[in-house]
Amino acid sequence: MFERFSSGYYLGELYVEPHDGDRAVIQRADHEHVNEQLYADGEGVERLDAPLVMKLGSGHIPVGGDEDIPSGTLAIPLEIADETLPDRKNVLLADADRAENLLRWEGWEPFVNA
């Protein structure tokens, strides 16, 4: 789904559509798979529900999982959607270190907020 793009990001293409939820989401199974493949370090019990951090356009957004979203789709809240959606878009996914820094900057703490 995502390939290494740079030292801090992976690149993928997703179908991006607006939705009336209050947070950005992808299909729960995709979310868990990406968390396991890119964010887990293989040591001990690790959570697979921590938000992913994706960069769409010029902004970073935390992304959760939702069973009602089709695989390969990123659903974003209406307030951050623009007139070009729905459409296929290149999406950057922050690697584990960058994602943790971005989430902490926004006030998210592992094992507390997810």
Side-chain angles (χ1 to χ4, degrees):
M1 184 182 283
F2 288 91
E3 296 178 14
R4 177 59 78 176
F5 176 71
S6 69
S7 63
Y9 290 95
Y10 296 87
L11 176 65
E13 185 179 73
L14 296 173
Y15 183 75
V16 181
E17 64 182 18
H19 78 121
D20 59 0
D22 60 350
R23 63 188 182 122
V25 290
I26 62 174
Q27 207 284 324
R28 185 174 313 282
D30 290 348
H31 184 273
E32 290 177 1
H33 176 74
V34 170
N35 244 302
E36 184 176 32
Q37 295 295 314
L38 303 180
Y39 286 8
D41 63 13
E43 295 182 15
V45 176
E46 297 179 299
R47 63 183 309 162
L48 299 178
D49 63 342
L52 304 173
V53 176
M54 294 188 183
K55 185 174 182 183
L56 183 64
S58 62
H60 289 87
I61 52 176
V63 178
D66 187 315
E67 293 173 5
D68 296 330
I69 303 300
S71 183
T73 298
L74 170 61
I76 62 172
L78 293 169
E79 65 258 11
I80 62 171
D82 64 27
E83 67 281 346
T84 66
L85 300 178
D87 199 5
R88 293 200 68 75
K89 301 271 187 185
N90 286 329
V91 176
L92 292 172
L93 171 66
D95 70 11
D97 291 336
R98 185 171 306 265
E100 184 176 349
N101 289 337
L102 290 165
L103 289 169
R104 284 184 190 275
W105 192 62
E106 291 294 323
W108 186 87
E109 291 293 326
F111 306 106
V112 175
N113 298 105

